[in-house]
Amino acid sequence: MGRDERLLLEVEHPTGLASAVARAAILGCGEPHILGDTRALLRCVNSLGAANALSWTPGVSLLSYGEFVGPGSFRELSRALAGIISGILEDGDRIWMEVYGDGSTEFQDYLAGELVSSTHVELDHNRPSKLFTIFLVEGGAFLSHGYRRGIGGLPLGSEGSALSLFSGGRCGAEALVAAVRGGFRVRPLFLEMGNEAPPENIRRALMAAAIMVQKISPGGEVLAGYVPERAIGALKGGEWIYHRFLAEVAGLVARKAGDRAIFVGMSPEPGYADVIDAYARAQRSLGVAFSVHQCSEFPMMPFDEELESLIDEHKWRLARPPHLGSVPAGLDETWRASGLPDIADEVAGSIVSMRAEGELARHEVLDGYLRARSHLKDLLDGGG
């Protein structure tokens, strides 16, 4: 009886299944067997590795990796699966099996009989210590060994393009994922604040952005810009003026590119009302939609060790008063008189774009910005 690695792929919306299967083929998973509108079972060279990689694929909500045995009769399949399962059981384990597919009840009876007769385990439907998921398909049986949760959402680009402000921290990463789940093809935008940010912050932010884009949409863009030193004094005036400036730059960039929305990540802390007001005013002024995403303790973002280390070490922020208390009147006049609108226009007009593609994407994106940085400093700090 045959035995090989398989991957059960599930998408959140039926329209995303074809693109997810195509992405899986690039990762060494082929011979898809389509199971309804949202699932496909694929033969893989390395099902666990493929599950880890595909968890970043837009639209993919769940990936189960494991083994397929068959084809064969129910008695032959249950005996083969009992042999595999018994190898990972301990005496006294309470187990249960969830079986899906035609004849699932009959097969479950066969498998339960094989396990009880060959192992010292207890069948417990209510409180199992180990739960096994099995799918009957192609005349055989797929036993899931584990799973990875995916980004889910709509297929990439189905809702158009969007921009995501990205400083290098977790909130910005979650906002980018929220945009992807919404069906947008997203470009992260990083803005360096004069000479205020340590070089390590720039490195971490750009590498994190590149890793996310490369995993979600290989070959996609990472945008970066330089904010001149002459703007920093005004930007230290408080949360409202700081975010009003970010919104202006991002809005100008998005409007020129035809992006449908701009996503922003924020933690719900003092000053949050100021931030919402800043983006609301920019939206009315520029005619570009902003979506302010609150950070969550349980983000819908797949795990990646290198990415986690980069965003978890992101501590830097431009020193500024935390909040205004209540948003005072006359802020629009203050904004126009600050000189920042003209600087925002200059920054937006000098944004550089780097492609995130291949295993070295994070280094190439960082190097691309650093090569352009000296020119941007001369252009913007010199007032040219």
Side-chain angles (χ1 to χ4, degrees):
M1 182 178 297
R3 176 175 168 181
D4 53 50
E5 290 195 43
R6 295 287 176 105
L7 180 71
L8 182 66
L9 178 154
E10 184 172 344
V11 296
E12 197 163 324
H13 296 277
T15 53
L17 186 59
S19 59
V21 168
R23 183 80 174 269
I26 298 173
L27 298 170
C29 296
E31 303 178 35
H33 185 92
I34 305 302
L35 306 173
D37 294 333
T38 59
R39 287 176 173 174
L41 185 67
L42 305 107
R43 186 194 302 269
C44 297
V45 176
N46 178 354
S47 60
L48 174 56
N52 288 332
L54 285 167
S55 64
W56 287 92
T57 300
V60 174
S61 56
L62 190 67
L63 298 136
S64 299
Y65 56 91
E67 294 180 80
F68 178 84
V69 295
S73 67
F74 277 4
R75 184 172 297 280
E76 292 170 328
L77 294 174
S78 62
R79 190 170 297 148
L81 285 189
I84 297 173
I85 292 173
S86 63
I88 55 178
L89 292 178
E90 299 176 359
D91 286 351
D93 274 341
R94 302 187 315 276
I95 71 168
W96 191 249
M97 302 81 64
E98 291 184 344
V99 184
Y100 300 91
D102 293 338
S104 57
T105 301
E106 181 185 359
F107 181 80
Q108 190 172 46
D109 291 340
Y110 272 109
L111 181 57
E114 289 288 345
L115 287 169
V116 169
S117 64
S118 60
T119 62
H120 295 88
V121 296
E122 177 186 349
L123 298 180
D124 188 341
H125 178 267
N126 296 315
R127 299 181 63 187
S129 57
K130 289 188 173 73
L131 177 65
F132 297 94
T133 305
I134 299 158
F135 294 86
L136 301 176
V137 62
E138 294 184 314
F142 168 72
L143 170 65
S144 173
H145 290 320
Y147 68 92
R148 294 288 184 269
R149 294 203 178 277
I151 286 179
L154 295 167
L156 184 68
S158 58
E159 296 298 309
S161 63
L163 205 62
S164 180
L165 281 168
F166 188 80
S167 65
R170 183 167 298 279
C171 287
E174 289 184 26
L176 193 153
V177 170
V180 171
R181 284 181 49 78
F184 293 98
R185 187 178 297 277
V186 191
R187 297 170 300 154
L189 170 61
F190 170 76
L191 295 175
E192 179 188 352
M193 294 293 154
N195 287 322
E196 296 288 317
E200 182 64 12
N201 179 77
I202 300 168
R203 184 189 74 84
R204 288 181 178 277
L206 287 172
M207 290 181 73
I211 288 172
M212 294 189 73
V213 171
Q214 194 272 334
K215 287 180 175 294
I216 293 169
S217 177
E221 292 180 280
V222 174
L223 305 181
Y226 176 81
V227 178
E229 294 180 30
R230 55 196 162 96
I232 301 303
L235 292 176
K236 290 182 177 180
E239 290 290 333
W240 188 92
I241 198 79
Y242 176 77
H243 284 280
R244 182 65 181 84
F245 178 81
L246 295 183
E248 187 79 8
V249 175
L252 291 170
V253 174
R255 193 166 64 180
K256 182 179 179 180
D259 294 320
R260 293 190 60 195
I262 300 167
F263 284 74
V264 185
M266 285 295 299
S267 56
E269 57 188 22
Y272 188 72
D274 305 344
V275 172
I276 293 294
D277 182 80
Y279 288 106
R281 292 180 190 236
Q283 179 168 300
R284 290 194 297 268
S285 173
L286 298 168
V288 179
F290 285 88
S291 175
V292 181
H293 174 82
Q294 281 195 10
C295 291
S296 168
E297 293 183 10
F298 306 101
M300 292 285 291
M301 188 168 75
F303 178 80
D304 179 86
E305 186 174 357
E306 183 180 15
L307 177 62
E308 291 291 324
S309 69
L310 289 170
I311 61 179
D312 280 346
E313 291 298 320
H314 176 81
K315 307 293 184 185
W316 181 87
R317 74 192 297 272
L318 185 68
R320 55 191 188 273
H323 62 99
L324 298 170
S326 60
V327 179
L331 282 178
D332 288 330
E333 291 75 12
T334 301
W335 163 250
R336 286 191 290 268
S338 67
L340 289 174
D342 290 338
I343 298 176
D345 188 63
E346 294 176 41
V347 173
S350 60
I351 296 295
V352 294
S353 171
M354 291 78 61
R355 291 282 177 188
E357 192 168 20
E359 292 299 319
L360 298 178
R362 57 196 183 281
H363 299 294
E364 292 174 355
V365 165
L366 175 61
D367 291 345
Y369 175 68
L370 294 179
R371 284 194 298 269
R373 185 174 181 269
S374 59
H375 168 70
L376 293 178
K377 283 177 64 67
D378 290 342
L379 176 67
L380 297 168
D381 279 333

